[in-house]
Amino acid sequence: MKRILYVVLQCTWGIGQTLLGLFFFLVHAKKAHHIYKNCIDTRWHFSGGMSLGLFIFTPDDESDWANEVRVHEYGHTFQSLLLGPLYAVVGVISVCWAFLPYFQRLRTQKNMPYTACFVEKWASDLGEKMTGEKAAR
């Protein structure tokens, strides 16, 4: 029942991010896909991850790091469930934190963890709470 509710909410309340996730899923259609908990996990050749509604994209290996990223991205799916269309704000903050040179330098120079950004810490905390596994920090 929980799985059905999760999918229904991602496909209604979280429809914007789920449709964008479907686009990325189709772009990476030839990659390996697995069900992780309640979402579709696409394994790609990047060291980081991405979460869009019902879809997560995680490193294509079985390392501890890849699993921690998977748990972190799964946490983002619960932000999507909670925020619905407002998850776009989390997405903008997350993309800026990850890719803008200013924030990359800040993290490096001050030796800050990725989860120094509140939306990333929240995702890791949610992922750990929902899975009982360790998330990327």
Side-chain angles (χ1 to χ4, degrees):
M1 185 63 176
K2 288 180 185 178
R3 177 170 284 173
I4 293 169
L5 183 59
Y6 177 93
V7 171
V8 167
L9 286 174
Q10 290 291 18
C11 293
T12 54
W13 180 236
I15 189 67
Q17 50 271 25
T18 294
L19 286 175
L20 190 55
L22 177 61
F23 169 78
F24 278 93
F25 174 83
L26 294 173
V27 166
H28 295 279
K30 293 184 179 180
K31 304 283 195 284
H33 309 285
H34 306 276
I35 299 298
Y36 177 74
K37 309 297 180 190
N38 299 313
C39 61
I40 300 165
D41 177 18
T42 298
R43 309 286 176 90
W44 61 6
H45 299 295
F46 297 104
S47 62
M50 180 171 66
S51 176
L52 291 164
L54 191 56
F55 300 90
I56 62 173
F57 302 84
T58 61
D60 187 18
D61 63 56
E62 296 301 322
S63 68
D64 289 342
W65 170 250
N67 194 58
E68 289 174 13
V69 169
R70 197 164 291 112
V71 172
H72 172 85
E73 296 306 328
Y74 189 62
H76 277 301
T77 72
F78 284 91
Q79 291 173 325
S80 171
L81 289 174
L82 292 167
L83 299 174
L86 296 177
Y87 181 72
V89 174
V90 169
V92 169
I93 293 169
S94 186
V95 167
C96 290
W97 181 248
F99 296 109
L100 287 181
Y102 171 79
F103 293 118
Q104 290 174 336
R105 277 191 311 277
L106 182 70
R107 288 195 312 273
T108 301
Q109 290 170 353
K110 298 197 182 259
N111 197 28
M112 298 170 75
Y114 191 69
T115 52
C117 175
F118 74 98
V119 298
E120 301 305 339
K121 181 180 183 317
W122 184 23
S124 284
D125 290 347
L126 281 170
E128 288 178 350
K129 181 176 181 177
M130 301 312 289
T131 67
E133 300 174 45
K134 184 177 183 229
R137 296 282 171 179

